[in-house]
C-alpha cells in the first residue's frame, strides 16, 4: 500500500471583513495551491470565510506546552499594563 | 506512528516529574478546561482518544456509501443536489476528525491503512443496505438524528480539537436530519405505495439506529474511564433514551409506527419505555458479519487504490514545480 503522504497544512480562515484569520484545522495537500482549494472545499462550504491562509505545519514555531508555562510569566506581574491599575476619581469624565 | 510534523503535536521533553504532570492534567479536567495538543496527557487518554476519533472519522467516510448509492437515482434534481451536499458534508466530517486525530500524533496514511486493512472499526449502522429512496430519508432522520444525540455532548469533550471538530459537525448535522425528515413528509403525502416504502424503511432502520449508541452500560467496560476523563459526557443508555424520547413525537407527526410493541410513555419516569435491541446482532455486525460489511470495505479499498495514480501525479507535479521555482 502506498503510504507516502502529502505534507500537512494548517488552515486559517477570515470569517468576514474586519476579523482576524482564525485557525480552523488542518489538511494534507501536495502543494500550496492544492492546499488552498482543499481548504476552500473543506472549511468554507457555507460561506464561512472571505480569505484563507494555509501554511505547512512544519513551518510553524510554537511556544512550549501549557499556559502555566514560565514562558508567559513576564506578562503576569505587570498589572500596570491594564487600565484598571490606575485610580481616577469618578467625577473625571470620559476616561 | 508519530511521523507527522503537526504544529501542535509532539510536546517537547518536560523537566517536570510524572506526578506533577498528572496533577496538572487532573486539575485541568476537574476545572472543566480543555486539554490541548501540546499538553502532557496520560498515555491511556491519548490512546483512547486516537481510537475513538479514528473510528468516528472512519464512520463518516464509510457513511458516505449507503446514501451515495442513491445520488445517481435521486428522483429530482433538487433531491440530487441535496443528497450530493449531504454526502460531501460527511466526507468533510471525516476530514475534520482525521485532522483532530493528527493533533495527537496519529498519522493520516496510517489511519487510512488501519481502516482498509480492517484493523480499526467504523459504526455498525453503515453495514445495512439502502433498499429504496425512502432509506435516504430515514437515514437522515434516524441515523443523523442519533449522531446529533451522540455528538452534541461531545462539543464539550475535554480534548479541545475533538470538541471543536464536533461543533463544526453539529452545525451541519441539523441540515442532514431536516432534509431527511422533509423527504419523508413529502413521501407520506404521496401514494399508498410511497407511504409503505417509508414504513418499510422505518421498520428496517429503527433497531440498528438504537444500536448506534453501543452496548448497554453494564456491558460497556471502557465507558466509565471515558466519562471520568470527560471525553464522553453521558452513558450509552442515557443517550439511547434521549434519542427515543426525541424521535417518538416526530414519528407521530409523520404518521409512521416505530416497530417496537414495548414502546410506551412512562409517566412516572417522564420518559419512554422501550424494548431491547438484539445485542447478538450488534456483535455479529461489529465482528464483520453484517449484510454489507464486505461491500463497504471493498468499495473503500478500491476507491483508495484507484485513486493512487492521482495522488502520485499530484506529488510529482508538486515536486516538478518546486524544482522550477525554488523557495525565495
Ligand atoms: Fe456526519
Ligand atoms: Fe450527517
Amino acid at each position: 500500500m502506498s503510504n507516502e503522504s502529502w505534507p500537512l497544512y494548517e488552515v486559517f480562515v477570515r470569517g468576514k471583513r474586519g476579523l482576524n484569520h482564525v485557525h480552523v484545522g488542518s489538511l494534507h495537500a501536495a502543494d500550496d495551491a492544492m492546499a488552498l482549494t482543499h481548504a476552500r472545499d473543506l472549511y468554507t462550504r457555507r460561506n464561512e470565510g472571505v480569505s484563507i491562509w494555509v501554511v505547512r505545519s512544519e513551518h510553524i514555531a510554537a511556544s512550549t506546552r501549557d499556559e502555566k508555562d514560565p514562558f508567559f510569566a513576564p506578562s503576569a506581574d505587570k498589572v500596570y499594563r491594564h487600565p484598571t491599575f490606575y485610580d481616577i476619581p469618578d467625577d473625571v469624565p470620559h476616561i | 506512528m508519530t511521523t507527522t510534523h503537526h504544529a501542535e503535536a509532539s510536546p517537547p521533553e518536560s523537566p517536570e516529574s510524572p506526578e506533577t504532570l498528572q496533577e496538572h492534567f487532573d486539575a485541568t479536567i476537574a476545572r472543566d478546561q480543555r486539554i490541548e495538543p501540546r499538553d502532557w496527557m496520560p498515555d491511556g487518554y491519548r490512546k483512547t482518544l486516537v481510537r475513538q476519533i479514528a473510528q468516528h472519522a472512519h464512520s463518516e467516510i464509510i457513511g458516505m456509501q449507503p446514501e451515495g448509492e442513491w445520488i445517481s437515482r435521486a428522483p429530482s434534481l433538487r433531491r440530487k443536489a441535496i443528497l450530493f451536499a449531504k454526502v460531501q458534508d460527511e466526507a468533510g466530517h471525516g476530514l475534520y476528525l482525521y485532522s483532530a486525530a493528527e493533533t495527537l500524533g496519529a498519522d493520516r496514511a496510517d489511519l487510512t491503512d488501519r481502516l482498509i486493512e480492517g484493523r480499526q472499526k467504523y459504526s455498525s449502522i453503515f453495514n445495512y443496505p439502502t433498499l429504496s429512496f425512502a432509506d435516504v430519508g430515514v437515514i437522515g432522520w434516524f441515523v443523523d438524528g442519533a449522531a446529533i444525540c451522540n455528538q452534541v455532548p461531545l462539543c464539550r469533550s475535554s480534548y479541545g480539537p475533538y470538541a471543536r471538530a464536533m461543533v463544526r459537525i453539529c452545525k451541519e448535522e441539523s441540515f442532514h436530519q431536516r432534509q431527511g425528515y422533509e423527504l419523508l413528509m413529502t413521501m407520506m403525502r404521496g401514494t399508498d405505495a410511497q407511504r409503505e416504502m417509508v414504513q418499510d424503511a422505518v421498520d428496517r432502520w429503527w433497531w440498528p439506529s438504537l444500536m448506534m449508541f453501543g452496548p448497554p452500560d453494564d456491558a460497556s467496560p471502557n465507558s466509565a474511564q471515558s466519562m471520568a476523563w470527560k471525553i464522553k459526557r453521558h452513558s450509552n443508555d442515557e443517550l439511547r433514551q434521549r434519542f427515543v424520547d426525541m424521535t417518538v413525537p416526530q414519528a407521530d407527526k409523520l404518521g409512521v409506527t416505530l416497530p417496537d410493541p414495548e414502546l410506551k410513555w412512562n409517566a412516572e419516569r417522564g420518559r419512554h419505555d422501550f424494548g431491547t435491541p438484539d445485542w447478538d446482532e450488534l456483535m455479529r455486525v461489529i465482528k464483520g458479519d453484517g449484510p454489507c460489511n464486505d461491500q463497504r470495505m471493498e468499495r473503500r479499498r478500491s476507491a483508495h487504490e484507484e485513486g493512487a495514480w492521482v495522488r502520485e501525479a499530484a506529488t510529482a507535479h508538486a515536486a516538478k514545480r518546486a524544482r522550477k521555482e525554488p523557495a525565495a
Side-chain angles (χ1 to χ4, degrees):
Chain A
M1 192 139 302
S2 122
N3 210 359
E4 199 194 313
S5 56
W6 293 335
L8 192 65
Y9 282 82
E10 301 298 324
V11 180
F12 301 80
V13 171
R14 183 198 296 287
K16 58 181 183 198
R17 289 178 179 280
L19 298 180
N20 287 320
H21 285 76
V22 172
H23 182 243
V24 291
S26 66
L27 51 77
H28 288 273
D31 57 23
D32 297 357
M34 186 195 270
L36 278 172
T37 51
H38 280 185
R40 177 202 59 197
D41 293 344
L42 185 55
Y43 291 105
T44 63
R45 282 197 301 286
R46 290 176 175 79
N47 298 318
E48 290 97 331
V50 294
S51 161
I52 300 174
W53 290 346
V54 291
V55 59
R56 290 272 290 266
S57 304
E58 63 187 358
H59 292 159
I60 292 183
S63 65
T64 50
R65 282 192 303 105
D66 25 59
E67 302 91 68
K68 77 177 170 70
D69 197 284
F71 185 74
F72 294 103
S75 81
D77 59 357
K78 294 181 182 58
V79 284
Y80 46 84
R81 280 179 174 161
H82 298 275
T84 47
F85 179 74
Y86 302 93
D87 259 339
I88 309 281
D90 285 348
D91 54 3
V92 179
H94 307 305
I95 187 162
Chain B
M1 203 164 103
T2 324
T3 55
T4 59
H5 306 276
H6 200 287
E8 296 199 286
S10 317
E13 288 301 308
S14 169
E16 284 155 285
S17 74
E19 293 77 26
T20 319
L21 292 167
Q22 178 76 47
E23 267 168 37
H24 182 63
F25 173 85
D26 292 343
T28 307
I29 298 275
R31 279 197 310 270
D32 240 337
Q33 287 193 320
R34 299 290 175 269
I35 303 296
E36 294 295 344
R38 292 166 59 85
D39 291 345
W40 181 90
M41 61 189 86
D43 268 353
Y45 180 82
R46 186 185 297 274
K47 281 203 190 101
T48 301
L49 273 168
V50 169
R51 194 189 326 110
Q52 179 171 332
I53 297 173
Q55 285 185 10
H56 197 158
H58 299 331
S59 302
E60 302 284 355
I61 297 297
I62 297 288
M64 297 164 74
Q65 293 186 34
E67 290 168 285
E69 286 174 9
W70 282 93
I71 292 175
S72 63
R73 294 177 288 168
S76 69
L77 186 56
R78 178 175 183 269
R79 292 291 168 200
K80 190 196 283 258
I82 291 170
L83 191 51
F84 233 134
K86 200 237 177 201
V87 170
Q88 192 190 8
D89 275 354
E90 303 302 2
H93 296 177
L95 296 180
Y96 304 153
L97 288 159
Y98 283 130
S99 164
E102 285 186 284
T103 66
L104 291 157
D107 175 67
R108 172 71 176 280
D110 177 61
L111 293 176
T112 303
D113 286 352
R114 280 169 192 263
L115 170 62
I116 285 173
E117 291 160 15
R119 287 182 288 138
Q120 266 175 345
K121 307 274 181 216
Y122 55 89
S123 176
S124 56
I125 192 75
F126 301 117
N127 290 315
Y128 292 86
T130 38
L131 303 182
S132 81
F133 195 69
D135 289 36
V136 171
V138 171
I139 288 177
W141 178 29
F142 284 172
V143 177
D144 291 274
I148 290 172
C149 283
N150 252 329
Q151 289 168 352
V152 166
L154 290 174
C155 295
R156 295 186 301 120
S157 180
S158 61
Y159 187 59
Y162 189 33
R164 292 191 286 273
M166 281 302 137
V167 170
R168 198 168 261 285
I169 288 175
C170 283
K171 279 188 197 150
E172 302 182 347
E173 292 295 1
S174 173
F175 144 55
H176 298 178
Q177 194 190 22
R178 290 172 67 105
Q179 64 81 33
Y181 195 79
E182 188 226 39
L183 186 166
L184 297 174
M185 287 194 337
T186 308
M187 288 186 79
M188 290 302 282
R189 285 194 299 266
T191 63
D192 282 346
Q194 286 177 303
R195 278 185 287 276
E196 272 164 37
M197 278 166 76
V198 174
Q199 184 61 54
D200 171 64
V202 165
D203 292 346
R204 284 182 287 106
W205 287 94
W206 176 248
W207 292 107
S209 300
L210 291 190
M211 294 176 198
M212 280 177 71
F213 298 93
D217 292 348
D218 50 24
S220 180
N222 301 325
S223 282
Q225 179 58 263
S226 278
M227 284 172 70
W229 278 329
K230 296 185 185 171
I231 293 174
K232 234 178 117 141
R233 295 281 180 159
H234 305 286
S235 76
N236 296 354
D237 287 335
E238 167 59 22
L239 291 167
R240 194 168 8 251
Q241 176 78 57
R242 286 184 187 191
F243 173 71
V244 172
D245 291 336
M246 177 179 97
T247 308
V248 168
Q250 296 168 349
D252 286 347
K253 277 266 179 257
L254 193 60
V256 295
T257 311
L258 298 174
D260 178 0
E262 292 174 56
L263 182 65
K264 62 170 186 303
W265 178 248
N266 181 328
E268 219 167 281
R269 290 201 306 131
R271 312 193 93 172
H272 292 87
D273 292 337
F274 57 98
T276 309
D278 180 350
W279 298 125
D280 293 338
E281 176 181 322
L282 176 63
M283 286 342 278
R284 275 199 309 279
V285 177
I286 288 178
K287 292 222 170 77
D289 202 15
C292 300
N293 296 58
D294 294 345
Q295 182 188 332
R296 301 291 184 239
M297 289 295 285
E298 177 47 37
R299 182 77 196 279
R300 181 68 194 86
R301 207 176 294 125
S302 65
H304 187 69
E305 283 162 11
E306 285 162 20
W309 72 269
V310 180
R311 293 191 295 278
E312 283 157 20
T315 306
H317 178 70
K320 192 171 112 193
R321 291 212 9 196
R323 275 197 308 276
K324 274 192 185 157
E325 26 181 297

